[in-house]
Amino acid sequence: MSLPRHQRSGAIAAGRRHSVWCRDDGTVVAVEHDRAGECQVSTWENVVAVAAGNVHTFSNTGKSHTLGLRNDGTVVATGWNAHGQCEVNGWHSIRSLAAGWRFTLGVREDGTVIATGRNVEGQCNTSDWDDVVAIAAGSRHSLALRSDGTILSTGSNEHHQCDVSAR
């Protein structure tokens, strides 16, 4: 079962070196660079949203991961998993996803956020977030929008990317 066209905002995603999208029948297509298996989505079914991990532009990187949200609230993942960013098998009741560099975020039906993967800069420190309606994953930071319009942030603030409360 697929979402109606007007509700499928998460049906496409772009990584640095690959693109992924959901077909109307719930299958998924990924194209271009497949350095770490991030395009191995041909067996996915019942997917209503996707997310593509991003990578740094340095020549020694390029490995990424891809996520799919199934219509039953479970999540599938493929690609580079050196930091556990694809370890989503036990996730359920998920309503949206975000993929960062080496980490993954999910918003549960109850508005709490789950995270897995690299947490060196604190980008996965989301366990106390609640009432969340949207999430975004950067290279080394995470953002969440609460239903009251406030924004939460965690992770690297090297370039002031987490200074969102004063804006």
Side-chain angles (χ1 to χ4, degrees):
M1 173 197 281
S2 184
L3 290 174
R5 287 188 191 278
H6 70 279
Q7 293 180 1
R8 296 189 309 161
S9 62
I12 61 171
R16 179 167 181 259
R17 297 180 178 163
H18 75 293
S19 298
V20 59
W21 64 94
C22 298
R23 292 182 177 137
D24 287 341
D25 65 359
T27 61
V28 178
V29 177
V31 294
E32 255 328 295
H33 187 72
D34 192 12
R35 184 172 180 183
E38 62 266 23
C39 292
Q40 296 177 8
V41 298
S42 62
T43 61
W44 291 5
E45 296 178 337
N46 303 314
V47 174
V48 295
V50 290
N54 59 43
V55 298
H56 285 291
T57 59
F58 301 115
S59 61
N60 65 341
T61 63
K63 298 177 182 175
S64 186
H65 67 296
T66 302
L67 307 169
L69 175 60
R70 290 187 174 131
N71 61 5
D72 65 358
T74 60
V75 179
V76 290
T78 190
W80 190 45
N81 193 35
H83 299 274
Q85 61 267 37
C86 291
E87 297 184 14
V88 295
N89 289 338
W91 288 20
H92 57 85
S93 302
I94 303 298
R95 68 175 176 216
S96 64
L97 296 170
W101 180 55
R102 304 180 182 193
F103 70 102
T104 298
L105 303 172
V107 178
R108 295 182 182 114
E109 289 293 333
D110 66 2
T112 60
V113 176
I114 189 170
T116 190
R118 180 184 168 106
N119 194 34
V120 173
E121 295 84 12
Q123 61 269 47
C124 291
N125 294 344
T126 62
S127 62
D128 61 341
W129 289 4
D130 60 5
D131 199 28
V132 171
V133 296
I135 51 174
S139 184
R140 296 179 297 150
H141 72 291
S142 301
L143 300 174
L145 175 66
R146 283 191 164 147
S147 65
D148 66 1
T150 58
I151 300 174
L152 304 170
S153 64
T154 190
S156 172
N157 196 31
E158 180 179 357
H159 303 286
H160 307 287
Q161 62 269 40
C162 289
D163 294 343
V164 294
S165 62
R167 306 280 187 255

mmCIF file of all heavy atoms in Angstrom, residues 71-95:
data_model
loop_
_atom_site.group_PDB
_atom_site.id
_atom_site.type_symbol
_atom_site.label_atom_id
_atom_site.label_comp_id
_atom_site.label_asym_id
_atom_site.label_seq_id
_atom_site.Cartn_x
_atom_site.Cartn_y
_atom_site.Cartn_z
ATOM 1 N N ASN A 71 5.153 0.825 5.169
ATOM 2 C CA ASN A 71 3.837 1.320 5.561
ATOM 3 C C ASN A 71 3.367 0.789 6.911
ATOM 4 O O ASN A 71 2.437 1.333 7.494
ATOM 5 C CB ASN A 71 2.793 1.049 4.468
ATOM 6 C CG ASN A 71 2.611 -0.417 4.177
ATOM 7 O OD1 ASN A 71 3.175 -1.287 4.833
ATOM 8 N ND2 ASN A 71 1.832 -0.696 3.151
ATOM 9 N N ASP A 72 4.028 -0.233 7.452
ATOM 10 C CA ASP A 72 3.670 -0.738 8.782
ATOM 11 C C ASP A 72 4.498 -0.099 9.899
ATOM 12 O O ASP A 72 4.403 -0.497 11.062
ATOM 13 C CB ASP A 72 3.797 -2.258 8.835
ATOM 14 C CG ASP A 72 5.227 -2.764 8.666
ATOM 15 O OD1 ASP A 72 6.158 -1.942 8.461
ATOM 16 O OD2 ASP A 72 5.421 -3.991 8.734
ATOM 17 N N GLY A 73 5.337 0.905 9.561
ATOM 18 C CA GLY A 73 6.136 1.601 10.563
ATOM 19 C C GLY A 73 7.476 0.961 10.868
ATOM 20 O O GLY A 73 8.197 1.439 11.746
ATOM 21 N N THR A 74 7.834 -0.098 10.158
ATOM 22 C CA THR A 74 9.157 -0.693 10.330
ATOM 23 C C THR A 74 10.124 -0.060 9.339
ATOM 24 O O THR A 74 9.713 0.630 8.407
ATOM 25 C CB THR A 74 9.125 -2.225 10.143
ATOM 26 O OG1 THR A 74 8.660 -2.524 8.820
ATOM 27 C CG2 THR A 74 8.225 -2.879 11.191
ATOM 28 N N VAL A 75 11.414 -0.310 9.533
ATOM 29 C CA VAL A 75 12.448 0.350 8.738
ATOM 30 C C VAL A 75 13.394 -0.698 8.170
ATOM 31 O O VAL A 75 13.721 -1.682 8.838
ATOM 32 C CB VAL A 75 13.232 1.358 9.610
ATOM 33 C CG1 VAL A 75 14.334 2.044 8.824
ATOM 34 C CG2 VAL A 75 12.286 2.384 10.218
ATOM 35 N N VAL A 76 13.832 -0.475 6.931
ATOM 36 C CA VAL A 76 14.869 -1.291 6.302
ATOM 37 C C VAL A 76 16.044 -0.387 5.973
ATOM 38 O O VAL A 76 15.885 0.821 5.802
ATOM 39 C CB VAL A 76 14.355 -2.006 5.033
ATOM 40 C CG1 VAL A 76 13.368 -3.088 5.388
ATOM 41 C CG2 VAL A 76 13.750 -1.025 4.049
ATOM 42 N N ALA A 77 17.226 -0.983 5.896
ATOM 43 C CA ALA A 77 18.438 -0.206 5.611
ATOM 44 C C ALA A 77 19.419 -1.049 4.827
ATOM 45 O O ALA A 77 19.439 -2.280 4.936
ATOM 46 C CB ALA A 77 19.074 0.266 6.914
ATOM 47 N N THR A 78 20.241 -0.362 4.049
ATOM 48 C CA THR A 78 21.301 -1.023 3.311
ATOM 49 C C THR A 78 22.457 -0.048 3.142
ATOM 50 O O THR A 78 22.284 1.158 3.266
ATOM 51 C CB THR A 78 20.806 -1.520 1.936
ATOM 52 O OG1 THR A 78 21.824 -2.355 1.353
ATOM 53 C CG2 THR A 78 20.470 -0.382 0.998
ATOM 54 N N GLY A 79 23.633 -0.593 2.877
ATOM 55 C CA GLY A 79 24.799 0.250 2.655
ATOM 56 C C GLY A 79 25.820 0.130 3.750
ATOM 57 O O GLY A 79 25.859 -0.841 4.503
ATOM 58 N N TRP A 80 26.648 1.137 3.834
ATOM 59 C CA TRP A 80 27.757 1.168 4.786
ATOM 60 C C TRP A 80 27.225 1.194 6.211
ATOM 61 O O TRP A 80 26.355 1.993 6.550
ATOM 62 C CB TRP A 80 28.601 2.399 4.500
ATOM 63 C CG TRP A 80 29.893 2.455 5.232
ATOM 64 C CD1 TRP A 80 30.797 1.464 5.404
ATOM 65 C CD2 TRP A 80 30.432 3.607 5.867
ATOM 66 N NE1 TRP A 80 31.882 1.917 6.105
ATOM 67 C CE2 TRP A 80 31.678 3.237 6.408
ATOM 68 C CE3 TRP A 80 29.987 4.907 6.036
ATOM 69 C CZ2 TRP A 80 32.483 4.117 7.110
ATOM 70 C CZ3 TRP A 80 30.792 5.784 6.721
ATOM 71 C CH2 TRP A 80 32.028 5.389 7.259
ATOM 72 N N ASN A 81 27.761 0.309 7.071
ATOM 73 C CA ASN A 81 27.256 0.155 8.425
ATOM 74 C C ASN A 81 28.379 0.142 9.462
ATOM 75 O O ASN A 81 28.245 -0.440 10.524
ATOM 76 C CB ASN A 81 26.419 -1.130 8.531
ATOM 77 C CG ASN A 81 25.626 -1.190 9.807
ATOM 78 O OD1 ASN A 81 25.151 -0.182 10.311
ATOM 79 N ND2 ASN A 81 25.487 -2.389 10.358
ATOM 80 N N ALA A 82 29.477 0.799 9.190
ATOM 81 C CA ALA A 82 30.635 0.768 10.080
ATOM 82 C C ALA A 82 30.344 1.312 11.466
ATOM 83 O O ALA A 82 31.027 0.965 12.428
ATOM 84 C CB ALA A 82 31.801 1.532 9.454
ATOM 85 N N HIS A 83 29.336 2.144 11.604
ATOM 86 C CA HIS A 83 29.014 2.741 12.900
ATOM 87 C C HIS A 83 27.643 2.314 13.403
ATOM 88 O O HIS A 83 27.109 2.917 14.336
ATOM 89 C CB HIS A 83 29.095 4.270 12.792
ATOM 90 C CG HIS A 83 30.460 4.738 12.418
ATOM 91 N ND1 HIS A 83 31.462 4.969 13.337
ATOM 92 C CD2 HIS A 83 31.014 4.963 11.205
ATOM 93 C CE1 HIS A 83 32.557 5.333 12.720
ATOM 94 N NE2 HIS A 83 32.320 5.338 11.412
ATOM 95 N N GLY A 84 27.048 1.303 12.782
ATOM 96 C CA GLY A 84 25.741 0.809 13.206
ATOM 97 C C GLY A 84 24.572 1.622 12.676
ATOM 98 O O GLY A 84 23.443 1.458 13.131
ATOM 99 N N GLN A 85 24.814 2.476 11.696
ATOM 100 C CA GLN A 85 23.755 3.330 11.169
ATOM 101 C C GLN A 85 22.666 2.565 10.427
ATOM 102 O O GLN A 85 21.580 3.097 10.210
ATOM 103 C CB GLN A 85 24.326 4.438 10.279
ATOM 104 C CG GLN A 85 25.070 3.965 9.057
ATOM 105 C CD GLN A 85 26.565 3.812 9.272
ATOM 106 O OE1 GLN A 85 27.031 3.402 10.336
ATOM 107 N NE2 GLN A 85 27.338 4.128 8.261
ATOM 108 N N CYS A 86 22.921 1.315 10.069
ATOM 109 C CA CYS A 86 21.907 0.492 9.404
ATOM 110 C C CYS A 86 21.229 -0.489 10.353
ATOM 111 O O CYS A 86 20.425 -1.307 9.922
ATOM 112 C CB CYS A 86 22.545 -0.286 8.243
ATOM 113 S SG CYS A 86 23.050 0.764 6.872
ATOM 114 N N GLU A 87 21.522 -0.410 11.625
ATOM 115 C CA GLU A 87 20.950 -1.349 12.587
ATOM 116 C C GLU A 87 19.590 -0.852 13.071
ATOM 117 O O GLU A 87 19.453 -0.314 14.174
ATOM 118 C CB GLU A 87 21.951 -1.591 13.705
ATOM 119 C CG GLU A 87 23.194 -2.248 13.108
ATOM 120 C CD GLU A 87 24.240 -2.630 14.119
ATOM 121 O OE1 GLU A 87 23.949 -2.642 15.325
ATOM 122 O OE2 GLU A 87 25.360 -2.930 13.671
ATOM 123 N N VAL A 88 18.589 -1.061 12.221
ATOM 124 C CA VAL A 88 17.232 -0.574 12.458
ATOM 125 C C VAL A 88 16.210 -1.709 12.467
ATOM 126 O O VAL A 88 15.001 -1.448 12.461
ATOM 127 C CB VAL A 88 16.843 0.473 11.393
ATOM 128 C CG1 VAL A 88 17.720 1.712 11.517
ATOM 129 C CG2 VAL A 88 16.931 -0.121 9.993
ATOM 130 N N ASN A 89 16.673 -2.951 12.499
ATOM 131 C CA ASN A 89 15.765 -4.097 12.415
ATOM 132 C C ASN A 89 14.699 -4.103 13.500
ATOM 133 O O ASN A 89 13.581 -4.532 13.253
ATOM 134 C CB ASN A 89 16.546 -5.415 12.455
ATOM 135 C CG ASN A 89 17.326 -5.647 11.185
ATOM 136 O OD1 ASN A 89 17.005 -5.090 10.139
ATOM 137 N ND2 ASN A 89 18.368 -6.445 11.262
ATOM 138 N N GLY A 90 14.982 -3.644 14.682
ATOM 139 C CA GLY A 90 14.007 -3.641 15.764
ATOM 140 C C GLY A 90 13.137 -2.400 15.819
ATOM 141 O O GLY A 90 12.293 -2.271 16.705
ATOM 142 N N TRP A 91 13.328 -1.477 14.903
ATOM 143 C CA TRP A 91 12.546 -0.247 14.925
ATOM 144 C C TRP A 91 11.125 -0.526 14.460
ATOM 145 O O TRP A 91 10.901 -1.241 13.481
ATOM 146 C CB TRP A 91 13.182 0.804 14.034
ATOM 147 C CG TRP A 91 14.454 1.396 14.559
ATOM 148 C CD1 TRP A 91 15.287 0.860 15.499
ATOM 149 C CD2 TRP A 91 15.045 2.624 14.156
ATOM 150 N NE1 TRP A 91 16.367 1.693 15.701
ATOM 151 C CE2 TRP A 91 16.242 2.779 14.887
ATOM 152 C CE3 TRP A 91 14.700 3.596 13.243
ATOM 153 C CZ2 TRP A 91 17.081 3.872 14.746
ATOM 154 C CZ3 TRP A 91 15.529 4.694 13.085
ATOM 155 C CH2 TRP A 91 16.705 4.832 13.839
ATOM 156 N N HIS A 92 10.160 0.053 15.149
ATOM 157 C CA HIS A 92 8.749 -0.089 14.783
ATOM 158 C C HIS A 92 8.013 1.174 15.200
ATOM 159 O O HIS A 92 8.540 1.997 15.940
ATOM 160 C CB HIS A 92 8.136 -1.330 15.450
ATOM 161 C CG HIS A 92 8.263 -1.316 16.933
ATOM 162 N ND1 HIS A 92 7.369 -0.678 17.754
ATOM 163 C CD2 HIS A 92 9.207 -1.832 17.750
ATOM 164 C CE1 HIS A 92 7.742 -0.816 19.009
ATOM 165 N NE2 HIS A 92 8.863 -1.499 19.045
ATOM 166 N N SER A 93 6.823 1.343 14.710
ATOM 167 C CA SER A 93 6.006 2.534 14.991
ATOM 168 C C SER A 93 6.734 3.821 14.596
ATOM 169 O O SER A 93 6.614 4.844 15.262
ATOM 170 C CB SER A 93 5.605 2.586 16.472
ATOM 171 O OG SER A 93 4.895 1.429 16.829
ATOM 172 N N ILE A 94 7.475 3.761 13.509
ATOM 173 C CA ILE A 94 8.216 4.924 13.002
ATOM 174 C C ILE A 94 7.343 5.648 11.982
ATOM 175 O O ILE A 94 6.693 5.021 11.152
ATOM 176 C CB ILE A 94 9.547 4.484 12.351
ATOM 177 C CG1 ILE A 94 10.399 3.684 13.345
ATOM 178 C CG2 ILE A 94 10.306 5.694 11.802
ATOM 179 C CD1 ILE A 94 10.827 4.438 14.578
ATOM 180 N N ARG A 95 7.336 6.986 12.052
ATOM 181 C CA ARG A 95 6.542 7.747 11.076
ATOM 182 C C ARG A 95 7.395 8.587 10.122
ATOM 183 O O ARG A 95 6.900 9.031 9.089
ATOM 184 C CB ARG A 95 5.511 8.620 11.772
ATOM 185 C CG ARG A 95 6.053 9.749 12.579
ATOM 186 C CD ARG A 95 4.922 10.604 13.120
ATOM 187 N NE ARG A 95 5.473 11.635 13.967
ATOM 188 C CZ ARG A 95 4.889 12.078 15.048
ATOM 189 N NH1 ARG A 95 3.729 11.602 15.414
ATOM 190 N NH2 ARG A 95 5.452 13.014 15.757
#
